[in-house]
Amino acid sequence: MSGAFSFKQQDLTEGRIAPLLIKFAIPYMLANLLQALYGAADMIIVGQFTNAAGLSAVAIGSQFMMFINGLVIGMSMGGTILIGQYFGAGNDKEIKSTIATMFTLFAIIGAVLTVALLFAVKPLVAVLKTPPEAVAQAEAYIYVNVAGILFMFAYNALSAMLRGFGDSKSPLLFVAIACVCNVFGDLLLVGRFGMGAGGAALATILSQGLSALLAVVFLKKQSFNRFDFKLKSFRMDADKVKKLFVLGLPMSAQMSLTTVSFMFIMATVNQMGGVVASAAIGVSGRINGFTMLPPTAFSAAISAVVAQNMGARRPKRARTALYVGIAVSLAFGVVSYAILFFCPHILTRVFTPDRELIAAAALYFRSFSLDCVLVCFVFCLNGFFNGCGHTPFSMANNLLAAFLIRVPATWILSGLDGASLFTVGFAAPLASSVSIVIGLLYLKYGKWHKIRI
């Protein structure tokens, strides 16, 4: 684990912004692509070796795990921002304290969540109006994933720390290994041993555990001197705990509750069209995950660049990073829109041979695809405000769009005469449009230039 993937911290306060953003975003995007691939591998392999009920189980279980993943990623992004701001300010003592606190806090939260969520699986599956034929597999998928939450926290904490130092390449290596292991695990446990959705979940958590372990080994070999991973080094500083919560909790709430809004949408669709509609939305979500990779990557890149520059007291450079990020991610967004609008059948066929399911997913994409363009603005604005430390605003804006626009719009559109998945698909772009307007207003009139560390 050396050479191109050696740990190398990067000063993002100097140099041309466009190359810096792209250089940071591409490894991050590739890492997320691989994560999406090993998430999609669950659905692809389950879809080929089971039926619509198996796909529906993974789709529903994945929504719940996305909720948990949102909690983890949100908190870890708080760590990235805090480390990035201290790094930009050149404060090594505070960096070390932040890392130790983040690792310890995540271990505690992960353990508590694991125990608590094991009791929530059955009620959740019922609340989501899971089709009866998919209940057993959905429960198995969620139970196994919950058992591996600590692995999820470990990987994301390590990756967040590295990105705070401007290193987005090293996490790419870890997730690449996890992706390969997950695909082989799916083929073995689902294809060979017929374990269905539960087997796919087991392959995922084992792969995440291996990825986290390799990240620790990698850092030790690189003589990383800011944390030694010994038991005595796991400790918390009260001030850093507070700051991690101030920065991370709003993003956790934003990501997780946005997922909750999609759970409501899935529950609505489940009642509207049964197992085929449920599976179609699940497959659409996986495909959409790929189209969201560029804006997500540039959002993260903007956060890292902005965090360091705000720490170095360079707000004008931070704002320029926002504009450049939007321009570049828009190029990807337009391409994604065209693919989803004109070629939805081809993409859906990768997940399932079921013609009825393919047609249902394609119908949804015809209207939903506009969101591929709009989220470029939404994600980049969020990345900018998060990098400034104004995560509560990003949270409030996104939750407003999710619960006051997307969820009610889905319910209303699904209840119209002759409503279909095409009709329901318009809810997402409508919510994104509102979020953009609010974000632009805050950019012009808000106090984003006052950093929060």
Side-chain angles (χ1 to χ4, degrees):
M1 297 184 188
S2 59
F5 286 101
S6 60
F7 169 60
K8 184 179 180 181
Q9 60 190 32
Q10 183 176 8
D11 184 354
L12 302 175
T13 64
E14 300 292 340
R16 293 174 57 209
I17 290 177
L20 280 176
L21 275 176
I22 293 171
K23 186 178 179 181
F24 187 97
I26 288 178
Y28 187 90
M29 183 162 52
L30 291 175
N32 282 352
L33 172 62
L34 291 173
Q35 282 188 311
L37 281 173
Y38 79 69
D42 290 352
M43 293 200 75
I44 292 172
I45 295 171
V46 168
Q48 301 303 320
F49 288 99
T50 61
N51 51 22
L55 272 176
S56 177
V58 174
I60 292 168
S62 295
Q63 285 293 327
F64 177 68
M65 292 316 300
M66 284 175 65
F67 170 79
I68 302 302
N69 203 40
L71 287 174
V72 178
I73 292 175
M75 286 299 297
S76 66
M77 285 177 65
T80 294
I81 293 166
L82 195 56
I83 291 169
Q85 291 184 353
Y86 285 136
F87 183 66
N91 196 330
D92 199 61
K93 179 182 177 181
E94 299 292 355
I95 291 174
K96 291 180 179 179
S97 178
T98 300
I99 293 171
T101 300
M102 179 172 66
F103 286 172
T104 308
L105 182 64
F106 279 22
I108 294 171
I109 294 175
V112 172
L113 270 179
T114 299
V115 175
L117 291 174
L118 287 173
F119 294 97
V121 175
K122 287 184 179 292
L124 176 79
V125 171
V127 166
L128 290 176
K129 309 295 182 183
T130 304
E133 56 268 49
V135 167
Q137 290 196 66
E139 290 179 350
Y141 186 85
I142 298 174
Y143 272 126
V144 175
N145 270 297
V146 167
I149 282 177
L150 276 172
F151 294 151
M152 187 187 301
F153 267 100
Y155 166 75
N156 280 283
L158 289 161
S159 295
M161 177 191 70
L162 291 168
R163 288 169 181 145
F165 290 116
D167 177 13
S168 62
K169 290 182 179 178
S170 300
L172 172 61
L173 173 63
F174 312 140
V175 76
I177 295 170
C179 179
V180 173
C181 292
N182 185 67
V183 170
F184 280 107
D186 279 344
L187 289 171
L188 180 66
L189 298 177
V190 180
R192 177 67 179 86
F193 294 111
M195 294 176 63
L202 181 59
T204 297
I205 67 165
L206 291 177
S207 300
Q208 288 177 334
L210 176 63
S211 180
L213 176 62
L214 290 176
V216 173
V217 172
F218 166 82
L219 288 169
K220 283 183 169 293
K221 286 185 175 294
Q222 295 292 317
S223 300
F224 182 74
N225 63 0
R226 291 184 172 94
F227 192 79
D228 59 11
F229 299 97
K230 294 179 180 178
L231 188 60
K232 63 180 178 63
S233 299
F234 285 86
R235 57 183 181 272
M236 292 193 292
D237 175 82
D239 180 60
K240 297 301 179 298
V241 170
K242 179 182 177 181
K243 288 178 178 178
L244 285 170
F245 275 126
V246 168
L247 291 171
L249 275 182
M251 286 187 285
S252 288
Q254 169 189 325
M255 292 182 176
S256 296
L257 292 177
T258 298
T259 302
V260 169
S261 75
F262 280 107
M263 289 182 182
F264 282 119
I265 292 170
M266 178 160 278
T268 300
V269 170
N270 287 347
Q271 289 184 308
M272 179 180 168
V275 70
V276 171
S278 171
I281 291 294
V283 170
S284 300
R286 287 298 187 186
I287 295 172
N288 184 49
F290 289 100
T291 69
M292 295 296 127
L293 291 176
T296 300
F298 278 97
S299 175
I302 289 168
S303 286
V305 172
V306 169
Q308 286 196 19
N309 280 280
M310 294 300 285
R313 302 300 193 269
R314 302 189 65 182
K316 289 184 179 179
R317 180 177 169 84
R319 189 165 180 165
T320 301
L322 167 65
Y323 299 147
V324 173
I326 290 175
V328 178
S329 62
L330 264 178
F332 290 96
V334 172
V335 172
S336 296
Y337 163 76
I339 292 173
L340 288 188
F341 187 84
F342 294 107
C343 311
H345 294 83
I346 296 173
L347 294 176
T348 310
R349 178 63 184 81
V350 174
F351 289 84
T352 177
D354 189 318
R355 292 185 178 181
E356 185 181 5
L357 202 158
I358 291 172
L363 194 64
Y364 181 74
F365 275 135
R366 296 290 188 194
S367 53
F368 175 86
S369 54
L370 180 61
D371 204 45
C372 295
V373 175
L374 298 177
V375 295
C376 295
F377 293 92
V378 175
F379 282 33
C380 289
L381 284 165
N382 285 342
F384 175 79
F385 295 128
N386 290 339
C388 293
H390 288 250
T391 55
F393 168 76
S394 295
M395 176 192 70
N397 187 17
N398 280 272
L399 294 186
L400 182 150
F403 288 98
L404 295 186
I405 307 297
R406 188 183 298 118
V407 170
T410 299
W411 181 75
I412 293 170
L413 292 171
S414 67
L416 297 176
D417 290 337
S420 66
L421 290 180
F422 174 78
T423 314
V424 172
F426 283 109
L430 178 61
S432 294
S433 298
V434 173
S435 179
I436 291 170
V437 171
I438 295 173
L440 291 175
L441 288 173
Y442 190 74
L443 180 65
K444 184 172 183 178
Y445 300 109
K447 298 180 180 179
W448 57 267
H449 49 84
K450 295 185 178 180
I451 66 170
R452 303 178 64 178
I453 61 170

